[in-house]
Amino acid sequence: MSDLYAVADFCLIPMGTASTSVAEEVAECQRILARSGLKYKMHGYGTNIEGPWSNIISQAIHDCHAAVHAKGAQRIATDIRIGTRIDRETPFGEGNESKVTRVEQILAKDKV
């Protein structure tokens, strides 16, 4: 089987830093993702990311860990949720958007 297309959400949690704020570390991770070629969107408690499974896990999240360690974080914990599907093709970059759009369409029927 070829590399699975994955839609993921992850929250990288730096520990052992001098500040209770993690904004600098999150910004560094966002820089990594901007160079990854993957579709991503930051939200208040993490980042949605989608693309080939190996690019998400072996490249993007790995590189975020390495960059945040390089900024001085002694430990990092990361929560990851990953979804895949093989019943139909997911066009690149449309995994998260199509899920949100489908729910919005259902909710729009409530307003009629």
Side-chain angles (χ1 to χ4, degrees):
M1 180 177 273
S2 63
D3 205 2
L4 292 170
Y5 188 84
V7 177
D9 181 65
F10 77 102
C11 177
L12 187 140
I13 307 156
M15 295 180 277
T17 62
S19 173
T20 57
S21 172
V22 296
E24 289 291 332
E25 291 82 3
V26 171
E28 187 63 23
C29 186
Q30 294 300 301
R31 290 181 189 107
I32 298 292
L33 297 176
R35 294 190 297 266
S36 73
L38 299 169
K39 178 146 185 195
Y40 67 96
K41 183 175 182 178
M42 180 179 61
H43 55 84
Y45 284 95
T47 301
N48 296 126
I49 186 170
E50 59 184 277
W53 177 287
S54 60
N55 292 55
I56 290 173
I57 301 299
S58 300
Q59 177 194 352
I61 296 176
H62 167 276
D63 292 353
C64 284
H65 268 250
V68 171
H69 277 306
K71 287 190 70 64
Q74 298 300 301
R75 295 179 64 195
I76 301 169
T78 298
D79 293 328
I80 306 170
R81 289 180 297 165
I82 302 173
T84 59
R85 67 183 306 164
I86 59 170
D87 60 319
R88 66 177 175 83
E89 182 96 9
T90 302
F92 183 82
E94 294 182 16
N96 279 316
E97 288 179 22
S98 65
K99 293 173 188 342
V100 172
T101 299
R102 179 67 182 123
V103 173
E104 288 172 342
Q105 290 170 343
I106 293 168
L107 291 171
K109 294 176 184 176
D110 294 349
K111 296 177 182 176
V112 178

